[in-house]
Amino acid sequence: MTSMEKKERNWIPASFFPVSPLILVPEALGEFSVYLRQNKEFVLYARSGEKFTAEQRVKLFESGVGEVFVQTVEKPGFDKYVEDNLGGILTDESLPMQERSRLFYEATANVVRDAFNDKLPPRLMEEKFVRIESMVRQSMDFLKDERALKAIGPFISHDYKTYTHSLHVFVYALSLLACFDVPEEEHFEYGLGAMLHDIGKTRIPLKVLNKRGALTQEERSLVETHSVQGVALCAGLDISQRTFNCILFHHERMDGTGYPSGIGGMDIPLAVKCITIADVFDALTSNRPYAPAMRAYDALILMRHEMAGAFDMSVYKRFIEMLSGSSLI
């Protein structure tokens, strides 16, 4: 195949985007049409609102169709479809792990961004919470797969944003928690806490959060209210005490010098210890307004030697083992 033929084969106009036909869940309605590409023409295959059948899916696969196309203007409908059917997509072993990881990251980031970008009244906050809760619940089994963290790694952005940071902490913390003997029914509560741990930062002025220089003592004190503000923001939601603990205590330290309560040692729940390590690691390996991203290895060294007293070292060592096993360091 010549370079020109390859270019023509890979050419996709901006009005369409490709997706794997394997993510088209049989019998699920989608508010988007599906197109096939024949040379440079896009031919309608299934209309918006039609149920995509298992037979169609098999036929496309057997015909060697590696991708189908959706119009860019219908992306909101496609995103909602993925969000509604994420659990089934993530556990579908016929779909490559890398494709499932991409869909997980994109769909979850969309939901968390919507919740974190708006200063919402209580009624709308509850609507956003329901979506976050659904995403956490649908992705639990996927994140228990030892292959998942390695596959998600390439999609992790190193440009710090509160919503992507919360997603990364959720991924790291839940993968780490799976290394311990934690009751199955508690994983969801802790996962929700990891996802919401920084929700209180939506109540901190952006000019403070994004300040390039050192914070004043007054600004630092304001930022340190975000864990308490997070609990207050979620007070009217159907959240367990375990989830609230994750939001409230994720800046506590083993030596008792953290905030807001100054608890330490065994008083800090195991899941909170996991979230704390994931929180600091992701922050250090991301580009923040006041500091460039560090390499994973350098961040871990800093956490070990310059933040002595902050972490449970048994959890820290398990975190290193987890990252190493997933080829992330």
Side-chain angles (χ1 to χ4, degrees):
M1 183 182 294
T2 67
S3 59
M4 180 61 71
E5 288 173 328
K6 289 181 180 179
K7 184 176 180 180
E8 289 183 356
R9 183 175 179 180
N10 294 330
W11 176 83
I12 303 171
S15 54
F16 286 89
F17 63 95
V19 299
S20 168
L22 295 177
I23 73 162
L24 300 175
V25 180
E27 303 307 317
L29 293 173
E31 296 180 12
F32 58 92
S33 297
V34 177
Y35 293 79
L36 300 181
R37 180 169 60 177
Q38 296 179 353
N39 297 317
K40 283 193 175 184
E41 297 294 324
F42 290 83
V43 180
L44 180 66
Y45 183 72
R47 295 184 182 280
S48 174
E50 288 184 7
K51 288 184 177 180
F52 195 81
T53 67
E55 290 74 18
Q56 285 175 299
R57 194 172 189 247
V58 171
K59 185 176 180 180
L60 286 174
F61 181 76
E62 292 179 344
S63 299
V65 176
E67 56 187 13
V68 295
F69 298 85
V70 176
Q71 287 186 303
T72 304
V73 295
E74 293 186 318
K75 192 172 189 305
F78 176 77
D79 289 342
K80 185 178 186 306
Y81 169 87
V82 172
E83 182 180 333
D84 291 344
N85 296 281
L86 187 64
I89 293 171
L90 293 181
T91 55
D92 186 348
E93 289 292 336
S94 68
L95 190 62
M97 176 61 76
Q98 203 69 11
E99 179 68 7
R100 283 183 277 163
S101 298
R102 182 183 66 80
L103 288 167
F104 160 77
Y105 191 90
E106 292 178 355
T108 308
N110 284 339
V111 171
V112 181
R113 181 182 61 240
D114 286 350
F116 277 66
N117 278 2
D118 299 316
K119 295 187 182 301
L120 300 168
R123 179 182 62 81
L124 291 182
M125 180 60 199
E126 186 169 357
E127 292 178 9
K128 300 294 186 183
F129 167 72
V130 169
R131 292 177 66 203
I132 290 178
E133 183 183 46
S134 174
M135 297 304 278
V136 171
R137 199 177 294 280
Q138 290 190 79
S139 57
M140 299 300 296
D141 289 341
F142 175 67
L143 291 177
K144 292 174 188 174
D145 190 321
E146 293 181 353
R147 301 169 297 168
L149 181 59
K150 182 176 181 179
I152 293 169
F155 300 105
I156 291 178
S157 167
H158 295 290
D159 288 323
Y160 186 95
K161 297 181 180 65
T162 299
Y163 74 91
T164 53
H165 169 67
S166 296
L167 170 54
H168 301 166
V169 170
F170 168 66
V171 171
Y172 288 135
L174 262 291
S175 299
L176 178 57
L177 198 62
C179 300
F180 295 90
D181 185 20
V182 176
E184 185 76 17
E185 64 272 13
E186 295 179 14
H187 277 254
F188 167 74
E189 297 170 289
Y190 295 136
L192 190 59
M195 193 75 88
L196 295 172
H197 79 283
D198 267 352
I199 190 69
K201 284 187 176 178
T202 62
R203 294 300 184 262
I204 307 298
L206 287 177
K207 66 179 181 180
V208 175
L209 291 178
N210 297 333
K211 184 176 179 179
R212 292 189 174 277
L215 297 179
T216 65
Q217 184 56 51
E218 182 181 4
E219 290 169 335
R220 184 172 298 280
S221 295
L222 178 61
V223 171
E224 290 182 357
T225 68
H226 78 272
S227 53
V228 174
Q229 294 212 47
V231 170
L233 189 61
C234 296
L237 303 176
D238 184 17
I239 289 178
S240 73
Q241 187 59 53
R242 293 188 182 97
T243 298
F244 276 122
N245 287 345
C246 297
I247 300 170
L248 185 60
F249 296 138
H250 67 277
H251 280 289
E252 301 292 355
R253 293 169 52 105
M254 287 293 290
D255 61 10
T257 63
Y259 64 86
S261 302
I263 63 173
M266 297 301 293
D267 290 331
I268 304 175
L270 172 62
V272 175
K273 294 174 181 177
C274 293
I275 291 171
T276 299
I277 288 174
D279 180 29
V280 174
F281 176 78
D282 185 68
L284 291 174
T285 55
S286 299
N287 289 309
R288 295 165 289 167
Y290 52 87
M294 301 179 69
R295 294 185 307 165
Y297 177 80
D298 294 334
L300 292 168
I301 293 297
L302 183 150
M303 291 169 68
R304 176 67 179 88
H305 296 291
E306 296 185 34
M307 302 182 71
F311 313 112
D312 183 318
M313 294 312 298
S314 64
V315 179
Y316 169 83
K317 291 175 182 177
R318 192 70 67 90
F319 184 65
I320 293 176
E321 293 171 0
M322 180 194 77
L323 293 179
S324 178
S326 298
S327 303
L328 296 181
I329 54 174

